[in-house]
């Protein structure tokens, strides 16, 4: 079996791995890169596979850094199946459309600015419509049910305890008359998170992809974290101030609703306005309520006892922009929970603009802030940050509460891997910043004597090969295509050319000049590759 690391290596975003067995090609995750221009430019790169040649995408969970490029793939001709749990499917339906909307908005914003500066037209990566269409290729599976994916390939999803519907994926492949097993940890949850269950343990396997987001850190206990949050909220109430919580719409927001509800139920805080200001978070909360069979025992007990842990007195769901704007005119102390979690898009940017410069306000980070994001700059102590083209001074109290994380910390990861009983285990460390992945890799090699490595982006390997045992085969020659991708390139060239021609005709009709630098660049790249390939042949 051959694999290629397409994303989520030496970075936390863009998770994707290509697997090939004979003529069968499939992906595990198809995530979007986020955090800075350089990384995000990878979202536009020509894929080393052709969308039409892929039979499946096995999807660990709904977060955009794992699912975000599915609509783009469908747009490019993917007609296989996206296999995931029911909760992941429900969440993807709203999250991918939201992502398409963000792509459209960003292109529009860039064009508004760009036109004034004489720049060329920006096009969205994909649109809301593309996202909507992609959902028809999704197919749901249950946890713990082993099924035949293709001849000689079996798959099972197990609860990863990260977000609702998240999964660890086990894959059994027949290799030379023997059955071998590959495990993708996906994003592994933090133990004792409310609402959802703890991650399942896996006991057998030959090769493991292990996430490493918090591979070098220990979270504070949930109890300590709750006390910290309680103090912050009580302090804000005493000073008639607001608490702004940037939160991922899925899971972190519901966790915060659950926690604040607990404070109110216990009488630790009075019922104050709690604004859930993110249409996506509102939809996600509805999906949570519909999928209570994914909840842990504690939450189910609350439900059967007549309590609804996601309905809290004082909670205000704000759908419209007007309602959102009105929040900052409310002089009462309150809590604003808004997305996106890393502060690079969505309504949270408006709330930060309103509160970062106010000394009395509190900004509470409860999720991972990737390198290159606005959230990371604030957490790292920036004196000012740029929002909507304006430099905003940071005077508010900034807090980071690691105990709310949806990811296992170093202890959790080591404990999880310790359950796999195979001294020959090969481990690929992914989904972490480079330094952190390296640290965890070393720790695992020392502690368990497993063969742990941190792959490179676009690195290829042959697995279960007698001489190689999962060791490096070759570094993907940067962008140099193999013979079989010759036809793929030709098709791409043809499509790009036709699209350009169509747009040129349209613009010409309107009597305007037309120049699309991105497409032209793609054309140039493809032509160059074809020339290189011709020279080789
Ligand atoms: Zn995730
Ligand atoms: Zn992730």
């Amino acid at each position: 079996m051959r694999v290629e690391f397409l994303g989520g290596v030496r970075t936390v975003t863009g998770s994707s791995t290509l697997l090939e067995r004979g003529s069968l090609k499939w992906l595990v995750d198809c995530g979007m890169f986020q955090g800075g221009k350089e990384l995000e430019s990878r979202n536009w790169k020509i894929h080393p596979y052709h969308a039409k040649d892929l039979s499946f995408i096995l999807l660990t969970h709904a977060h955009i850094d794992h699912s975000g490029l599915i609509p783009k793939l469908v747009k490019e001709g993917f007609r296989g199946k996206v296999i995931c749990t029911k909760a992941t499917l429900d969440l993807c339906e709203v999250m991918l459309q939201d992502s398409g909307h963000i792509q459209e908005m960003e292109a529009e914003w860039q064009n508004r600015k760009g036109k004034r500066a004489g720049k060329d037209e920006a096009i969205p990566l994909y649109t809301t419509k593309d996202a909507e269409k992609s959902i028809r290729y999704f197919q749901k599976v249950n946890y713990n049910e082993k099924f035949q994916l293709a001849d000689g390939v079996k798959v099972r999803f197990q609860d990863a305890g990260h977000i609702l519907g998240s999964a660890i994926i086990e894959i059994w492949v027949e290799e030379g008359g023997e059955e071998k097993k590959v495990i993708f940890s996906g994003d592994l949850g933090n133990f004792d998170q409310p609402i959802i269950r703890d991650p399942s343990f896996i006991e057998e396997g030959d090769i493991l992809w292990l996430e490493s987001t918090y591979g070098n850190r220990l979270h504070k206990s949930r109890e300590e974290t709750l006390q910290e949050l309680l103090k912050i909220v009580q302090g804000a109430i005493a000073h008639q101030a607001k608490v702004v919580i940037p939160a991922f719409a899925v899971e972190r927001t519901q966790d915060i609703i659950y926690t604040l509800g607990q404070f109110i139920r216990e009488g630790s805080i009075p019922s104050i306005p709690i604004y859930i200001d993110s249409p996506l978070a509102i939809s996600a909360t509805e999906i949570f309520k519909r999928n209570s069979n994914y909840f842990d025992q504690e939450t189910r007990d609350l439900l059967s006892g007549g309590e609804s842990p996601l309905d809290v007195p004082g909670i205000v769901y704000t759908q419209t922009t007007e309602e959102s704007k009105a929040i900052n005119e409310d002089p009462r102390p309150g809590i604003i929970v808004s997305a996106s979690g890393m502060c690079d898009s969505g309504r949270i940017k408006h709330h930060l603009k309103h509160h970062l410069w106010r000394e009395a306000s509190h900004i509470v980070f409860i999720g991972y802030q990737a390198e290159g994001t606005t959230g990371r700059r604030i957490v790292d102590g920036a004196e000012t940050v740029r929002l909507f083209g304006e430099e905003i001074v940071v005077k508010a109290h900034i807090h980071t509460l690691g105990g709310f994380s949806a990811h296992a910390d170093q202890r959790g990861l080591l404990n999880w891997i310790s359950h796999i009983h195979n001294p020959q285990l090969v481990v690929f460390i992914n989904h972490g910043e480079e330094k952190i992945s390296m640290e965890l890799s070393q720790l695992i090699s020392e502690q368990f004597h497993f063969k742990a490595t941190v792959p490179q982006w676009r690195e290829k390997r042959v697995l279960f090969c007698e001489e190689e045992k999962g060791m490096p085969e070759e570094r993907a020659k940067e962008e140099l295509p193999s013979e079989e991708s010759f036809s793929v390139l030709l098709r791409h060239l043809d499509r790009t050319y036709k699209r350009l021609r169509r747009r040129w005709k349209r613009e010409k009709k309107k009597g305007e000049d037309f120049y699309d630098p991105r497409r032209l660049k793609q054309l140039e790249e493809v032509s160059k590759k074809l020339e290189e390939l011709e020279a080789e042949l």
Side-chain angles (χ1 to χ4, degrees):
M1 193 163 79
R2 298 164 73 90
V3 296
E4 182 169 348
F5 302 91
L6 299 177
V9 282
R10 300 183 185 232
T11 171
V12 287
T13 64
S15 275
S16 190
T17 309
L18 173 68
L19 293 96
E20 287 184 63
R21 187 176 175 275
S23 60
L24 185 75
K25 288 185 187 180
W26 75 100
L27 296 181
V28 172
D29 287 341
C30 185
M32 187 185 279
F33 288 98
Q34 293 159 307
K37 272 190 191 148
E38 209 187 315
L39 258 188
E40 284 166 19
S41 72
R42 292 184 184 178
N43 294 325
W44 292 93
K45 292 243 161 92
I46 301 164
H47 295 297
Y49 47 85
H50 189 258
K52 276 184 186 152
D53 299 336
L54 288 170
S55 302
F56 305 98
I57 299 169
L58 302 178
L59 181 59
T60 59
H61 64 290
H63 275 155
I64 291 301
D65 61 310
H66 297 257
S67 68
L69 289 188
I70 293 174
K72 180 171 180 270
L73 219 65
V74 171
K75 194 170 118 182
E76 288 167 354
F78 172 79
R79 295 294 176 266
K81 285 179 194 154
V82 181
I83 300 177
C84 61
T85 63
K86 179 184 174 289
T88 299
L89 195 169
D90 287 356
L91 288 169
C92 275
E93 208 166 348
V94 292
M95 292 179 74
L96 292 179
Q97 286 191 41
D98 181 74
S99 171
H101 180 68
I102 292 172
Q103 304 300 322
E104 285 173 44
M105 290 291 116
E106 265 166 22
E108 203 185 302
W109 190 70
Q110 272 179 27
N111 284 334
R112 233 181 292 144
K113 256 196 351 182
K115 265 186 195 154
R116 288 198 294 268
K119 284 191 183 159
D120 307 304
E121 195 193 349
I123 48 165
L125 194 57
Y126 56 84
T127 61
T128 322
K129 269 228 161 80
D130 295 324
E132 209 182 301
K133 270 189 216 157
S134 71
I135 293 297
R136 72 173 75 136
Y137 299 98
F138 279 58
Q139 188 178 312
K140 56 189 184 213
V141 288
N142 293 326
Y143 284 136
N144 309 325
E145 283 177 14
K146 199 168 169 180
F147 61 91
Q148 185 109 27
L149 185 75
D151 201 24
V153 186
K154 286 183 192 132
V155 174
R156 182 166 65 189
F157 282 54
Q158 301 256 36
D159 202 330
H162 165 62
I163 65 166
L164 198 77
S166 67
I168 297 160
I169 300 179
E170 300 168 283
I171 305 171
W172 290 263
V173 281
E174 272 170 35
E175 284 284 328
E178 259 188 276
E179 192 168 68
K180 297 282 185 180
K181 184 176 164 195
V182 176
I183 310 159
F184 284 82
S185 75
D187 289 3
L188 273 184
N190 199 0
F191 286 78
D192 294 327
Q193 252 180 197
I195 309 174
I196 53 170
R197 288 187 281 257
D198 284 342
S200 319
F201 290 115
I202 309 292
E203 293 179 351
E204 285 165 4
D206 299 291
I207 299 186
L208 166 70
W209 268 248
L210 180 67
E211 75 118 315
S212 57
T213 319
Y214 286 103
N216 69 343
R217 250 190 278 177
L218 297 178
H219 298 320
K220 276 193 186 157
S221 73
R222 177 128 194 126
E223 204 33 58
E224 268 177 286
T225 306
L226 293 185
Q227 286 311 315
E228 255 181 87
L229 179 66
L230 181 60
K231 257 198 201 147
I232 296 165
V233 176
Q234 287 171 335
I237 295 172
H239 292 96
Q240 295 286 304
K242 285 206 169 63
V243 180
V244 178
I245 309 180
F248 298 102
V250 176
E251 206 66 46
R252 294 311 79 225
T253 296
Q254 291 74 27
D255 188 347
I256 278 291
I257 296 175
Y258 182 99
T259 305
L260 294 172
Q262 206 175 326
F263 290 165
I264 296 171
R265 282 193 292 272
E266 292 163 0
S268 309
I269 58 167
S271 168
I272 53 166
I274 301 165
Y275 297 100
I276 306 299
D277 188 30
S278 151
L280 180 60
I282 299 170
S283 311
T285 308
E286 284 310 311
I287 291 170
F288 266 65
K289 290 180 186 171
R290 284 208 308 268
N291 284 281
S292 56
N293 54 326
Y294 284 85
F295 291 176
D296 62 7
Q297 198 53 47
E298 193 187 344
T299 314
R300 282 206 251 180
D301 289 347
L302 275 177
L303 281 173
S304 54
E307 297 232 34
S308 39
L310 291 174
D311 291 316
V312 175
I315 205 156
V316 184
Y317 290 100
T318 47
Q319 277 286 6
T320 65
T321 321
E322 287 67 39
E323 287 170 327
S324 172
K325 281 182 184 155
I327 297 173
N328 290 310
E329 281 153 25
D330 185 344
R332 293 174 296 166
I335 299 167
I336 305 167
V337 184
S338 186
S340 75
M342 298 195 283
C343 312
D344 270 340
S345 57
R347 293 180 180 175
I348 188 65
K349 286 168 73 183
H350 291 277
H351 298 299
L352 289 175
K353 193 178 153 193
H354 262 90
H355 290 280
L356 273 175
W357 58 275
R358 291 175 204 261
E359 281 177 31
S361 297
H362 295 260
I363 319 290
V364 183
F365 289 92
I366 55 168
Y368 191 77
Q369 304 300 311
E371 265 179 337
T373 59
T374 307
R376 178 64 165 262
R377 279 193 284 280
I378 299 172
V379 167
D380 283 349
E383 283 175 15
T384 61
V385 286
R386 212 170 168 74
L387 290 164
F388 304 105
E390 211 181 299
E391 210 63 44
I392 313 286
V393 66
V394 182
K395 291 245 168 100
H397 304 267
I398 308 295
H399 314 266
T400 308
L401 302 185
F404 274 112
S405 174
H407 291 269
D409 63 359
Q410 189 187 74
R411 194 186 299 124
L413 291 168
L414 293 177
N415 175 36
W416 187 82
I417 199 176
S418 74
H419 287 75
I420 304 176
H421 311 298
N422 177 5
Q424 306 297 320
L425 185 72
V426 172
V427 189
F428 297 131
I429 308 289
N430 69 355
H431 203 288
E433 278 165 21
E434 190 168 37
K435 192 178 141 279
I436 299 175
S437 296
M438 303 294 265
E439 266 183 61
L440 184 70
S441 169
Q442 203 179 347
L443 199 62
I444 287 175
S445 305
E446 283 167 11
Q447 209 162 320
F448 303 99
H449 306 293
F450 295 151
K451 241 179 229 160
T453 50
V454 184
Q456 299 275 359
W457 179 53
R458 301 288 307 274
E459 185 177 323
K460 290 177 180 174
R461 301 220 181 185
V462 176
L463 308 183
F464 311 123
C465 176
E466 242 341 283
E467 320 81 77
E468 289 174 308
K469 283 247 159 65
M471 285 296 103
E473 181 228 357
E474 61 183 274
R475 181 75 209 282
K477 282 185 198 159
E478 278 305 319
E479 305 289 332
L480 198 67
S482 65
E483 270 180 59
E484 66 174 320
S485 58
F486 193 79
S487 61
V488 172
L489 281 172
L490 275 175
R491 279 204 295 268
H492 189 86
L493 188 68
D494 192 45
R495 270 207 320 269
T496 311
Y497 170 74
K498 278 182 188 151
R499 261 192 234 137
L500 266 174
R501 210 180 146 71
R502 273 202 302 276
R503 286 195 55 199
W504 172 70
K505 273 189 179 166
R506 267 206 310 271
E507 300 296 324
K508 216 177 133 198
K509 240 189 207 165
K510 287 193 249 163
E512 283 172 27
D513 278 346
F514 171 61
Y515 173 65
D516 185 337
R518 185 173 280 145
R519 291 254 162 79
L520 284 177
K521 201 158 173 261
Q522 280 181 353
L523 269 176
E524 269 169 32
E525 274 174 19
V526 177
S527 314
K528 214 175 100 203
K529 278 181 204 163
L530 283 170
E531 271 169 31
E532 281 170 356
L533 195 62
E534 251 166 15
E536 269 210 354
L537 293 173

